[in-house]
Amino acid sequence: MWSEPAHETMRRLGRLGLREFDVVLAPGHLWADELDTGARRDLLQALSREGMKIESLNLPALDFNLGSCLAEVRDHAVRNYAEALRLSADLGGRGVVVVPGRVSGLLPPKMEDTMSWLGDSIEALLHFADKTGQDLLLETHPLTAIPTAEAVAAFIETIGHPRLLVAYDVANAEFIGEDQVAALRRLKPILGQVHVSDAKRSSWKHDPAGLGTVNFGEVRATLGEIAFDGLAVVEVISSNAVADTEATVHALNG
């Protein structure tokens, strides 16, 4: 994402047999302000010719806090997520992965205040999701106010919008010690996407399969049990990304 355009990365990963992608948004890789209407149309046509598809877009969570105590920070995040929704629609995507805010582990605001701010931000984004025909995929993430499957599910059920779904991250779940089988069963009605990589309960990573303690056999069996028909995204963070992605694909299919 820091060294080449997303289309080139998708081509390289496409040689591994991967055809659908969750693309992280970054300047120089894929960024809304760098793509006018013609460039978006050309990219969509090129991907179609090559048999590839963008499933979703994913903004770097560190820069955009939908649960901030500062209204101007939340407004900035909503504007950028809204632009990501428009870009996803133009590129034939399904929606945008959303990290539901970030909270300090040292001295956070009151939980009820954070949840109110987050709720307002998500309600604003759902207006854009409806306009663009896109989904919001809330990612389970350890640095948010709703890090567990139960907390995300309760939040989504409170809002009750059909375009608000979950992107369940098994590595994030492993790090916080969550029972992933129970979590996936709980999320069945609202599960939109699954992010797959390895981690340990002692260290937060997104490693290739086999380097951590995620039980991928149980995860895969549970996805079959609940008849999940969405996309499972291999989300490996590595300095040797293509090879480690390939190793993870082989491990998961083995």
Side-chain angles (χ1 to χ4, degrees):
M1 63 180 282
W2 300 123
S3 61
E4 65 184 10
H7 190 188
E8 287 302 313
T9 301
M10 293 169 71
R11 281 173 171 155
R12 292 205 288 142
L13 293 173
R15 298 183 192 115
L16 306 180
L18 304 175
R19 314 311 299 170
E20 298 178 82
F21 298 89
D22 172 54
V23 180
V24 176
L25 294 174
H29 187 63
L30 189 70
W31 193 247
D33 288 348
E34 297 175 352
L35 295 171
D36 61 19
T37 301
R40 297 179 187 203
R41 182 182 61 249
D42 291 345
L43 177 56
L44 177 59
Q45 291 174 348
L47 292 174
S48 179
R49 285 195 305 270
E50 296 168 28
M52 296 188 295
K53 184 178 186 295
I54 290 176
E55 154 87 356
S56 54
L57 301 180
N58 199 325
L59 273 172
L62 190 62
D63 297 319
F64 304 102
N65 189 352
L66 293 166
S68 172
C69 65
L70 302 176
E72 57 268 37
V73 171
R74 297 194 303 275
D75 290 344
H76 171 72
V78 167
R79 285 195 302 272
N80 279 271
Y81 274 112
E83 192 55 49
L85 286 166
R86 295 187 189 99
L87 179 60
S88 178
D90 288 344
L91 297 179
R94 171 194 183 175
V96 172
V97 175
V98 176
V99 173
R102 293 173 77 94
V103 293
S104 170
L106 296 175
L107 190 62
K110 293 179 180 179
M111 177 62 79
E112 58 265 34
D113 291 336
T114 295
M115 295 307 295
S116 177
W117 296 323
L118 176 60
D120 289 346
S121 296
I122 294 298
E123 292 279 9
L125 276 180
L126 285 169
H127 169 73
F128 292 102
D130 282 334
K131 287 179 63 176
T132 55
Q134 297 287 293
D135 291 336
L136 296 183
L137 300 157
L138 290 191
E139 183 171 5
T140 51
H141 193 292
L143 301 184
T144 73
I146 47 175
T148 66
E150 179 58 42
V152 171
F155 176 74
I156 288 176
E157 289 162 359
T158 298
I159 293 178
H161 193 290
R163 292 198 177 278
L164 189 59
L165 302 169
V166 179
Y168 187 68
D169 190 304
V170 300
N172 291 348
E174 185 70 10
F175 175 62
I176 65 172
E178 183 166 69
D179 181 337
Q180 291 146 54
V181 170
L184 289 167
R185 289 171 177 163
R186 171 69 174 93
L187 295 173
K188 176 181 177 179
I190 52 174
L191 186 61
Q193 195 177 82
V194 178
H195 294 181
V196 181
S197 59
D198 218 341
K200 299 177 181 177
R201 301 199 170 186
S202 59
S203 58
W204 185 28
K205 300 285 185 69
H206 281 63
D207 278 339
L211 296 186
T213 52
V214 173
N215 189 324
F216 292 104
E218 286 188 350
V219 169
R220 185 169 184 171
T222 307
L223 292 175
E225 171 196 317
I226 66 173
F228 174 67
D229 61 358
L231 195 68
V233 178
V234 175
E235 193 181 44
V236 171
I237 297 176
S238 166
S239 58
N240 193 18
V242 174
D244 284 343
T245 296
E246 182 175 22
T248 297
V249 170
H250 286 320
L252 297 178
N253 289 333

PDB file of all heavy atoms in Angstrom, residues 11-35:
ATOM      1  N   ARG A  11      -3.200  -7.111  -9.153  1.00  0.00           N
ATOM      2  CA  ARG A  11      -2.690  -7.996 -10.209  1.00  0.00           C
ATOM      3  C   ARG A  11      -1.728  -9.033  -9.646  1.00  0.00           C
ATOM      4  O   ARG A  11      -1.775 -10.217 -10.007  1.00  0.00           O
ATOM      5  CB  ARG A  11      -1.983  -7.167 -11.280  1.00  0.00           C
ATOM      6  CG  ARG A  11      -2.921  -6.463 -12.256  1.00  0.00           C
ATOM      7  CD  ARG A  11      -2.148  -5.544 -13.152  1.00  0.00           C
ATOM      8  NE  ARG A  11      -2.968  -5.015 -14.235  1.00  0.00           N
ATOM      9  CZ  ARG A  11      -2.715  -3.870 -14.860  1.00  0.00           C
ATOM     10  NH1 ARG A  11      -1.664  -3.138 -14.510  1.00  0.00           N
ATOM     11  NH2 ARG A  11      -3.500  -3.464 -15.840  1.00  0.00           N
ATOM     12  N   ARG A  12      -0.839  -8.603  -8.759  1.00  0.00           N
ATOM     13  CA  ARG A  12       0.136  -9.541  -8.195  1.00  0.00           C
ATOM     14  C   ARG A  12      -0.551 -10.584  -7.319  1.00  0.00           C
ATOM     15  O   ARG A  12      -0.233 -11.768  -7.371  1.00  0.00           O
ATOM     16  CB  ARG A  12       1.197  -8.783  -7.398  1.00  0.00           C
ATOM     17  CG  ARG A  12       2.101  -7.933  -8.285  1.00  0.00           C
ATOM     18  CD  ARG A  12       3.436  -7.690  -7.645  1.00  0.00           C
ATOM     19  NE  ARG A  12       3.341  -6.767  -6.534  1.00  0.00           N
ATOM     20  CZ  ARG A  12       4.039  -6.872  -5.407  1.00  0.00           C
ATOM     21  NH1 ARG A  12       4.853  -7.890  -5.240  1.00  0.00           N
ATOM     22  NH2 ARG A  12       3.927  -5.966  -4.459  1.00  0.00           N
ATOM     23  N   LEU A  13      -1.507 -10.138  -6.523  1.00  0.00           N
ATOM     24  CA  LEU A  13      -2.238 -11.088  -5.684  1.00  0.00           C
ATOM     25  C   LEU A  13      -3.186 -11.945  -6.518  1.00  0.00           C
ATOM     26  O   LEU A  13      -3.499 -13.076  -6.147  1.00  0.00           O
ATOM     27  CB  LEU A  13      -3.004 -10.336  -4.596  1.00  0.00           C
ATOM     28  CG  LEU A  13      -2.128  -9.637  -3.552  1.00  0.00           C
ATOM     29  CD1 LEU A  13      -2.982  -8.782  -2.633  1.00  0.00           C
ATOM     30  CD2 LEU A  13      -1.329 -10.646  -2.748  1.00  0.00           C
ATOM     31  N   GLY A  14      -3.627 -11.391  -7.647  1.00  0.00           N
ATOM     32  CA  GLY A  14      -4.491 -12.160  -8.538  1.00  0.00           C
ATOM     33  C   GLY A  14      -3.807 -13.403  -9.067  1.00  0.00           C
ATOM     34  O   GLY A  14      -4.468 -14.401  -9.393  1.00  0.00           O
ATOM     35  N   ARG A  15      -2.470 -13.368  -9.165  1.00  0.00           N
ATOM     36  CA  ARG A  15      -1.732 -14.544  -9.623  1.00  0.00           C
ATOM     37  C   ARG A  15      -1.789 -15.695  -8.616  1.00  0.00           C
ATOM     38  O   ARG A  15      -1.439 -16.832  -8.940  1.00  0.00           O
ATOM     39  CB  ARG A  15      -0.275 -14.163  -9.913  1.00  0.00           C
ATOM     40  CG  ARG A  15      -0.147 -13.126 -11.031  1.00  0.00           C
ATOM     41  CD  ARG A  15       1.293 -12.793 -11.368  1.00  0.00           C
ATOM     42  NE  ARG A  15       1.356 -11.621 -12.230  1.00  0.00           N
ATOM     43  CZ  ARG A  15       1.902 -10.452 -11.885  1.00  0.00           C
ATOM     44  NH1 ARG A  15       2.465 -10.306 -10.690  1.00  0.00           N
ATOM     45  NH2 ARG A  15       1.908  -9.435 -12.725  1.00  0.00           N
ATOM     46  N   LEU A  16      -2.219 -15.389  -7.396  1.00  0.00           N
ATOM     47  CA  LEU A  16      -2.399 -16.429  -6.380  1.00  0.00           C
ATOM     48  C   LEU A  16      -3.799 -17.022  -6.438  1.00  0.00           C
ATOM     49  O   LEU A  16      -4.138 -17.889  -5.643  1.00  0.00           O
ATOM     50  CB  LEU A  16      -2.169 -15.836  -4.981  1.00  0.00           C
ATOM     51  CG  LEU A  16      -0.856 -15.099  -4.736  1.00  0.00           C
ATOM     52  CD1 LEU A  16      -0.805 -14.584  -3.309  1.00  0.00           C
ATOM     53  CD2 LEU A  16       0.334 -15.986  -5.043  1.00  0.00           C
ATOM     54  N   GLY A  17      -4.615 -16.511  -7.368  1.00  0.00           N
ATOM     55  CA  GLY A  17      -5.983 -16.983  -7.476  1.00  0.00           C
ATOM     56  C   GLY A  17      -6.986 -16.141  -6.723  1.00  0.00           C
ATOM     57  O   GLY A  17      -8.171 -16.473  -6.674  1.00  0.00           O
ATOM     58  N   LEU A  18      -6.525 -15.049  -6.130  1.00  0.00           N
ATOM     59  CA  LEU A  18      -7.427 -14.148  -5.397  1.00  0.00           C
ATOM     60  C   LEU A  18      -8.074 -13.189  -6.385  1.00  0.00           C
ATOM     61  O   LEU A  18      -7.394 -12.582  -7.207  1.00  0.00           O
ATOM     62  CB  LEU A  18      -6.656 -13.381  -4.320  1.00  0.00           C
ATOM     63  CG  LEU A  18      -5.891 -14.261  -3.321  1.00  0.00           C
ATOM     64  CD1 LEU A  18      -5.077 -13.409  -2.373  1.00  0.00           C
ATOM     65  CD2 LEU A  18      -6.857 -15.137  -2.541  1.00  0.00           C
ATOM     66  N   ARG A  19      -9.386 -13.010  -6.280  1.00  0.00           N
ATOM     67  CA  ARG A  19     -10.104 -12.207  -7.275  1.00  0.00           C
ATOM     68  C   ARG A  19     -10.889 -11.047  -6.680  1.00  0.00           C
ATOM     69  O   ARG A  19     -11.277 -10.124  -7.386  1.00  0.00           O
ATOM     70  CB  ARG A  19     -11.095 -13.082  -8.078  1.00  0.00           C
ATOM     71  CG  ARG A  19     -10.550 -14.409  -8.581  1.00  0.00           C
ATOM     72  CD  ARG A  19      -9.228 -14.297  -9.298  1.00  0.00           C
ATOM     73  NE  ARG A  19      -9.278 -13.464 -10.498  1.00  0.00           N
ATOM     74  CZ  ARG A  19      -8.202 -13.070 -11.185  1.00  0.00           C
ATOM     75  NH1 ARG A  19      -6.997 -13.410 -10.760  1.00  0.00           N
ATOM     76  NH2 ARG A  19      -8.336 -12.333 -12.269  1.00  0.00           N
ATOM     77  N   GLU A  20     -11.185 -11.091  -5.388  1.00  0.00           N
ATOM     78  CA  GLU A  20     -11.962 -10.033  -4.751  1.00  0.00           C
ATOM     79  C   GLU A  20     -11.153  -9.443  -3.604  1.00  0.00           C
ATOM     80  O   GLU A  20     -10.509 -10.185  -2.849  1.00  0.00           O
ATOM     81  CB  GLU A  20     -13.291 -10.582  -4.234  1.00  0.00           C
ATOM     82  CG  GLU A  20     -14.183 -11.144  -5.333  1.00  0.00           C
ATOM     83  CD  GLU A  20     -15.469 -11.717  -4.770  1.00  0.00           C
ATOM     84  OE1 GLU A  20     -16.408 -10.943  -4.508  1.00  0.00           O
ATOM     85  OE2 GLU A  20     -15.525 -12.951  -4.586  1.00  0.00           O
ATOM     86  N   PHE A  21     -11.218  -8.117  -3.445  1.00  0.00           N
ATOM     87  CA  PHE A  21     -10.273  -7.455  -2.555  1.00  0.00           C
ATOM     88  C   PHE A  21     -10.939  -6.403  -1.674  1.00  0.00           C
ATOM     89  O   PHE A  21     -11.835  -5.683  -2.104  1.00  0.00           O
ATOM     90  CB  PHE A  21      -9.175  -6.776  -3.387  1.00  0.00           C
ATOM     91  CG  PHE A  21      -8.359  -7.738  -4.194  1.00  0.00           C
ATOM     92  CD1 PHE A  21      -8.758  -8.080  -5.486  1.00  0.00           C
ATOM     93  CD2 PHE A  21      -7.227  -8.329  -3.672  1.00  0.00           C
ATOM     94  CE1 PHE A  21      -8.024  -8.980  -6.239  1.00  0.00           C
ATOM     95  CE2 PHE A  21      -6.486  -9.232  -4.410  1.00  0.00           C
ATOM     96  CZ  PHE A  21      -6.881  -9.562  -5.698  1.00  0.00           C
ATOM     97  N   ASP A  22     -10.451  -6.331  -0.447  1.00  0.00           N
ATOM     98  CA  ASP A  22     -10.698  -5.211   0.454  1.00  0.00           C
ATOM     99  C   ASP A  22      -9.454  -4.334   0.366  1.00  0.00           C
ATOM    100  O   ASP A  22      -8.368  -4.752   0.767  1.00  0.00           O
ATOM    101  CB  ASP A  22     -10.912  -5.723   1.879  1.00  0.00           C
ATOM    102  CG  ASP A  22     -10.987  -4.593   2.893  1.00  0.00           C
ATOM    103  OD1 ASP A  22     -11.805  -3.678   2.705  1.00  0.00           O
ATOM    104  OD2 ASP A  22     -10.227  -4.638   3.891  1.00  0.00           O
ATOM    105  N   VAL A  23      -9.602  -3.137  -0.182  1.00  0.00           N
ATOM    106  CA  VAL A  23      -8.443  -2.297  -0.481  1.00  0.00           C
ATOM    107  C   VAL A  23      -8.298  -1.197   0.566  1.00  0.00           C
ATOM    108  O   VAL A  23      -9.234  -0.418   0.799  1.00  0.00           O
ATOM    109  CB  VAL A  23      -8.564  -1.660  -1.878  1.00  0.00           C
ATOM    110  CG1 VAL A  23      -7.346  -0.796  -2.175  1.00  0.00           C
ATOM    111  CG2 VAL A  23      -8.717  -2.747  -2.942  1.00  0.00           C
ATOM    112  N   VAL A  24      -7.128  -1.146   1.192  1.00  0.00           N
ATOM    113  CA  VAL A  24      -6.832  -0.066   2.131  1.00  0.00           C
ATOM    114  C   VAL A  24      -6.578   1.219   1.341  1.00  0.00           C
ATOM    115  O   VAL A  24      -5.832   1.224   0.356  1.00  0.00           O
ATOM    116  CB  VAL A  24      -5.609  -0.409   2.996  1.00  0.00           C
ATOM    117  CG1 VAL A  24      -5.258   0.760   3.908  1.00  0.00           C
ATOM    118  CG2 VAL A  24      -5.880  -1.660   3.822  1.00  0.00           C
ATOM    119  N   LEU A  25      -7.214   2.296   1.771  1.00  0.00           N
ATOM    120  CA  LEU A  25      -7.074   3.571   1.077  1.00  0.00           C
ATOM    121  C   LEU A  25      -5.855   4.327   1.598  1.00  0.00           C
ATOM    122  O   LEU A  25      -5.701   4.526   2.809  1.00  0.00           O
ATOM    123  CB  LEU A  25      -8.331   4.421   1.279  1.00  0.00           C
ATOM    124  CG  LEU A  25      -9.605   3.873   0.637  1.00  0.00           C
ATOM    125  CD1 LEU A  25     -10.811   4.720   1.025  1.00  0.00           C
ATOM    126  CD2 LEU A  25      -9.465   3.819  -0.879  1.00  0.00           C
ATOM    127  N   ALA A  26      -4.996   4.734   0.682  1.00  0.00           N
ATOM    128  CA  ALA A  26      -3.818   5.527   1.024  1.00  0.00           C
ATOM    129  C   ALA A  26      -3.392   6.309  -0.214  1.00  0.00           C
ATOM    130  O   ALA A  26      -3.484   5.783  -1.335  1.00  0.00           O
ATOM    131  CB  ALA A  26      -2.671   4.627   1.493  1.00  0.00           C
ATOM    132  N   PRO A  27      -2.940   7.542  -0.056  1.00  0.00           N
ATOM    133  CA  PRO A  27      -2.456   8.312  -1.213  1.00  0.00           C
ATOM    134  C   PRO A  27      -1.366   7.559  -1.954  1.00  0.00           C
ATOM    135  O   PRO A  27      -0.471   6.970  -1.349  1.00  0.00           O
ATOM    136  CB  PRO A  27      -1.915   9.598  -0.573  1.00  0.00           C
ATOM    137  CG  PRO A  27      -2.690   9.738   0.695  1.00  0.00           C
ATOM    138  CD  PRO A  27      -2.898   8.329   1.193  1.00  0.00           C
ATOM    139  N   GLY A  28      -1.471   7.548  -3.294  1.00  0.00           N
ATOM    140  CA  GLY A  28      -0.520   6.829  -4.124  1.00  0.00           C
ATOM    141  C   GLY A  28      -0.895   5.381  -4.361  1.00  0.00           C
ATOM    142  O   GLY A  28      -0.380   4.747  -5.286  1.00  0.00           O
ATOM    143  N   HIS A  29      -1.766   4.852  -3.536  1.00  0.00           N
ATOM    144  CA  HIS A  29      -2.224   3.464  -3.666  1.00  0.00           C
ATOM    145  C   HIS A  29      -3.644   3.471  -4.241  1.00  0.00           C
ATOM    146  O   HIS A  29      -3.868   3.082  -5.378  1.00  0.00           O
ATOM    147  CB  HIS A  29      -2.185   2.788  -2.297  1.00  0.00           C
ATOM    148  CG  HIS A  29      -2.479   1.317  -2.305  1.00  0.00           C
ATOM    149  ND1 HIS A  29      -1.689   0.398  -2.957  1.00  0.00           N
ATOM    150  CD2 HIS A  29      -3.491   0.608  -1.728  1.00  0.00           C
ATOM    151  CE1 HIS A  29      -2.185  -0.821  -2.774  1.00  0.00           C
ATOM    152  NE2 HIS A  29      -3.293  -0.711  -2.048  1.00  0.00           N
ATOM    153  N   LEU A  30      -4.564   3.975  -3.470  1.00  0.00           N
ATOM    154  CA  LEU A  30      -5.928   4.242  -3.935  1.00  0.00           C
ATOM    155  C   LEU A  30      -6.477   5.322  -3.024  1.00  0.00           C
ATOM    156  O   LEU A  30      -6.581   5.118  -1.809  1.00  0.00           O
ATOM    157  CB  LEU A  30      -6.799   2.986  -3.877  1.00  0.00           C
ATOM    158  CG  LEU A  30      -8.180   3.122  -4.542  1.00  0.00           C
ATOM    159  CD1 LEU A  30      -8.043   3.214  -6.065  1.00  0.00           C
ATOM    160  CD2 LEU A  30      -9.081   1.943  -4.179  1.00  0.00           C
ATOM    161  N   TRP A  31      -6.807   6.475  -3.624  1.00  0.00           N
ATOM    162  CA  TRP A  31      -7.247   7.620  -2.819  1.00  0.00           C
ATOM    163  C   TRP A  31      -8.241   8.435  -3.628  1.00  0.00           C
ATOM    164  O   TRP A  31      -7.999   8.744  -4.795  1.00  0.00           O
ATOM    165  CB  TRP A  31      -6.055   8.474  -2.413  1.00  0.00           C
ATOM    166  CG  TRP A  31      -6.371   9.474  -1.345  1.00  0.00           C
ATOM    167  CD1 TRP A  31      -6.388  10.836  -1.467  1.00  0.00           C
ATOM    168  CD2 TRP A  31      -6.706   9.190   0.022  1.00  0.00           C
ATOM    169  NE1 TRP A  31      -6.725  11.417  -0.272  1.00  0.00           N
ATOM    170  CE2 TRP A  31      -6.930  10.425   0.666  1.00  0.00           C
ATOM    171  CE3 TRP A  31      -6.855   8.007   0.757  1.00  0.00           C
ATOM    172  CZ2 TRP A  31      -7.282  10.516   2.016  1.00  0.00           C
ATOM    173  CZ3 TRP A  31      -7.217   8.097   2.100  1.00  0.00           C
ATOM    174  CH2 TRP A  31      -7.416   9.339   2.709  1.00  0.00           C
ATOM    175  N   ALA A  32      -9.351   8.775  -3.022  1.00  0.00           N
ATOM    176  CA  ALA A  32     -10.463   9.395  -3.746  1.00  0.00           C
ATOM    177  C   ALA A  32     -10.054  10.676  -4.461  1.00  0.00           C
ATOM    178  O   ALA A  32     -10.423  10.893  -5.626  1.00  0.00           O
ATOM    179  CB  ALA A  32     -11.614   9.668  -2.785  1.00  0.00           C
ATOM    180  N   ASP A  33      -9.287  11.538  -3.799  1.00  0.00           N
ATOM    181  CA  ASP A  33      -8.927  12.829  -4.394  1.00  0.00           C
ATOM    182  C   ASP A  33      -8.014  12.683  -5.610  1.00  0.00           C
ATOM    183  O   ASP A  33      -7.858  13.625  -6.384  1.00  0.00           O
ATOM    184  CB  ASP A  33      -8.240  13.722  -3.358  1.00  0.00           C
ATOM    185  CG  ASP A  33      -9.211  14.235  -2.307  1.00  0.00           C
ATOM    186  OD1 ASP A  33     -10.434  14.089  -2.506  1.00  0.00           O
ATOM    187  OD2 ASP A  33      -8.748  14.763  -1.281  1.00  0.00           O
ATOM    188  N   GLU A  34      -7.407  11.522  -5.777  1.00  0.00           N
ATOM    189  CA  GLU A  34      -6.498  11.292  -6.897  1.00  0.00           C
ATOM    190  C   GLU A  34      -7.184  10.642  -8.098  1.00  0.00           C
ATOM    191  O   GLU A  34      -6.522  10.389  -9.107  1.00  0.00           O
ATOM    192  CB  GLU A  34      -5.323  10.428  -6.427  1.00  0.00           C
ATOM    193  CG  GLU A  34      -4.483  11.098  -5.348  1.00  0.00           C
ATOM    194  CD  GLU A  34      -3.394  10.209  -4.790  1.00  0.00           C
ATOM    195  OE1 GLU A  34      -3.363   9.004  -5.127  1.00  0.00           O
ATOM    196  OE2 GLU A  34      -2.572  10.722  -4.008  1.00  0.00           O
ATOM    197  N   LEU A  35      -8.481  10.383  -7.981  1.00  0.00           N
ATOM    198  CA  LEU A  35      -9.207   9.696  -9.057  1.00  0.00           C
ATOM    199  C   LEU A  35     -10.428  10.506  -9.461  1.00  0.00           C
ATOM    200  O   LEU A  35     -11.411  10.567  -8.705  1.00  0.00           O
ATOM    201  CB  LEU A  35      -9.653   8.298  -8.598  1.00  0.00           C
ATOM    202  CG  LEU A  35      -8.552   7.282  -8.281  1.00  0.00           C
ATOM    203  CD1 LEU A  35      -9.151   6.052  -7.635  1.00  0.00           C
ATOM    204  CD2 LEU A  35      -7.800   6.900  -9.545  1.00  0.00           C
TER     205      LEU A  35
END
